[in-house]
Structure formats: C-alpha cells, structure tokens
Amino acid sequence: MTPTKTRAELAVIRVMCDNDLLFFTRFFYKELRGNKFIVNTHHEVIRDELRAIERYELELLNINIPPRFSKTELAAVNFIARGIGMNPNANYLYITASDELRAQTSVSIRDIVSHPYFKIMYGVELKKDQNGKNLWRTTQGGGLKTATIFGQVTGFGAGQMIEHDSDLEDYLRNFEGCIVLDDINKIDDSGQENANNEKVSRVLFNTILSRKNSKDTPVINIQQRAGMSDATAQLMEHYEDSPKAKFLVMPVISPE
C-alpha cells in the first residue's frame, strides 16, 4: 500500500487516536476493510471503561454482552493494537476458548500494527523472526501472546516488571499491557453446567492470573454468559469486595 495521507495529517490523526479508542477503531477499520465502523452507544460505554483500565483505575473490567456486538473488535483487537502503538514495551495476553477466534484476533491485531499508517504514526516495528500467530514481539520489547484457555501460556507475562515511583506514576506511567479474556467458556457447556466450567475456573485462577508481571496488571473479561458457574460468576465471587472491579452488563433488549 502506498500511503496517501501526509505525515502532517497522520500526526494529527495520531493525537486523535491516542485520545479516543473509538476514533482509532473507526480509522483503521475503514483503512483495512474499506467500510465504516458503525458506532452505537454501547461502544461509547465500553470505550470509557477501557479508559479506566488504561489509567489503572480498575483491576478488572468484566463485560457481559451478546455475540455480534463488536466486543472483540473494540476491547481486544483495537485496544491491544492501539496500546502497543502508544507503548511498544507493553505486553498483552489474549485468551479465548476458540482456536479459530484466537488466530483470527491475532491476525487482526497484527494487520493493524503492520499497516503503513500505523508504522508512520507510532514507529513500531515487529521482530522479523517472529511471524507466528500465537506469539509476536515488537523490536522495543513488547508484544502479544495468544492462547486457548487450555493452551500453553507459560513463558510469557502480561504487563511489565517495573518498579514505579508512587509519587509520580499518576503523571508519567504508560499503560503496560493487560490480560484479555474473550469468551473463555464454551457456550456448549452452559446447558449442562458440567465439569468444563470448573476446569476453566481452575485454569483461570491457578494459571492465567499468575501471568501478571505486576500486581496491578489489569484483567479484561468479555463474554456472553455461559451458565451459573462461568468465568463471570467466578470473577464476581473473587472480586466481590474490590472497589477496583467493574461488572458491566449490556443486554440486547432495552427495558425501554
């Protein structure tokens, strides 16, 4: 692709992308797919809560929303791609139940990060020797690891191992990455409430949450509900008394 926008134009677009995840999403969605990303009010709500994650105001953001409402596009693909642009040292861990969704999400993020406009705007380069769909890194040290819920996640941590000055971090700290969980319970499990949900919970608390590189590395869980013992239910119990956990329930049908 030959860039048609000037560097001056892209400098302005970079500022707007940094200020607003939805602008970033709309811009690269149009560039990569050729049509507009239609914004609804629920996108704005999710955008605002993701901003709280970036500011370390939340340790957990749990979003319950039905399929086909752009939850992966916004809270995984574009949130991670934009985060890597703004801080190429950041590390992200993306986990889902579906290997097909895992691969598709990794490719979608990589398509944005390798886009000529992204390179001009953010100056991020990917390591040339890492072309895998489940792990790739930037030349600056950050990167993305994707896995299925029962896949291999050892050897990679989300966030960064950095000692922060508590007096200055509110002003100077860049977002260092997070764990994104995307429909980690299979919907097939919901009708039976069988052992699979329990197995997911064991992996979630014994393995995945130990992949934080710092104690305040946030977790985002986005899913349609998959039974009374799904990941949302387990996280509700685990974070019951935490003021830094937000459970955002977004039904399809408005009460109005």
Side-chain angles (χ1 to χ4, degrees):
M1 171 187 170
T2 302
T4 58
K5 289 182 171 58
T6 67
R7 288 184 175 270
E9 290 172 329
L10 290 174
V12 174
I13 292 171
R14 158 79 195 263
V15 173
M16 298 175 74
C17 285
D18 287 359
N19 288 337
D20 188 351
L21 174 62
L22 275 179
F23 183 90
F24 180 96
T25 301
R26 290 166 56 212
F27 177 74
F28 280 103
Y29 193 92
K30 179 70 180 295
E31 289 298 325
L32 287 166
R33 305 194 186 191
N35 54 333
K36 292 183 178 181
F37 180 85
I38 300 173
V39 175
N40 189 41
T41 53
H42 76 280
H43 295 124
E44 297 172 347
V45 174
I46 294 173
R47 182 266 319 274
D48 293 343
E49 297 300 341
L50 290 171
R51 185 178 291 138
I53 285 284
E54 289 179 319
R55 294 172 177 171
Y56 292 95
E57 295 169 2
L58 293 175
E59 292 180 3
L60 169 72
L61 174 60
N62 190 99
I63 304 171
N64 296 134
I65 190 169
R68 311 309 304 160
F69 277 78
S70 312
K71 64 182 187 296
T72 299
E73 185 71 32
L74 186 60
V77 173
N78 286 275
F79 183 74
I80 293 174
R82 173 174 168 269
I84 289 173
M86 295 174 68
N87 181 10
N89 293 308
N91 289 293
Y92 293 84
L93 180 58
Y94 174 84
I95 298 175
T96 182
S98 165
D99 187 61
E100 182 179 355
L101 178 59
R102 178 207 62 76
Q104 177 183 329
T105 300
S106 180
V107 170
S108 295
I109 296 170
R110 194 182 182 97
D111 284 346
I112 296 174
V113 175
S114 59
H115 192 280
Y117 286 162
F118 190 95
K119 289 185 177 182
I120 294 172
M121 289 162 58
Y122 292 101
V124 174
E125 293 285 346
L126 299 180
K127 285 189 174 181
K128 299 189 183 336
D129 60 340
Q130 293 187 347
N131 296 315
K133 293 181 180 179
N134 65 338
L135 173 64
W136 48 265
R137 292 188 179 277
T138 68
T139 56
Q140 292 91 336
L144 170 69
K145 167 76 172 179
T146 65
T148 57
I149 183 64
F150 300 131
Q152 182 67 257
V153 296
T154 56
F156 187 93
Q160 290 179 277
M161 292 181 181
I162 298 177
E163 184 175 349
H164 297 281
D165 186 331
S166 59
D167 295 328
L168 296 177
E169 67 180 42
D170 289 342
Y171 302 96
L172 301 179
R173 188 177 184 184
N174 292 321
F175 187 60
E176 298 157 7
C178 64
I179 298 172
V180 179
L181 311 174
D182 189 358
D183 282 333
I184 60 174
N185 295 103
K186 291 183 178 179
I187 299 304
D188 293 344
D189 300 337
S190 63
Q192 301 170 337
E193 287 292 310
N194 58 21
N196 281 338
N197 274 0
E198 295 181 13
K199 187 176 180 182
V200 167
S201 296
R202 289 197 300 270
V203 173
L204 172 60
F205 291 104
N206 295 337
T207 303
I208 294 174
L209 294 186
S210 69
R211 296 293 92 198
K212 295 182 177 185
N213 280 337
S214 63
K215 63 181 180 180
D216 60 352
T217 296
V219 176
I220 300 169
N221 182 51
I222 49 180
Q223 72 171 148
Q224 57 175 318
R225 293 304 303 267
M228 298 297 290
S229 62
D230 64 4
T232 293
Q234 298 297 322
L235 290 169
M236 281 181 173
E237 182 177 348
H238 185 77
Y239 287 91
E240 182 178 8
D241 299 320
S242 174
K244 300 192 76 175
K246 179 70 175 283
F247 290 86
L248 186 64
V249 180
M250 310 192 78
V252 173
I253 301 175
S254 169
E256 301 177 357

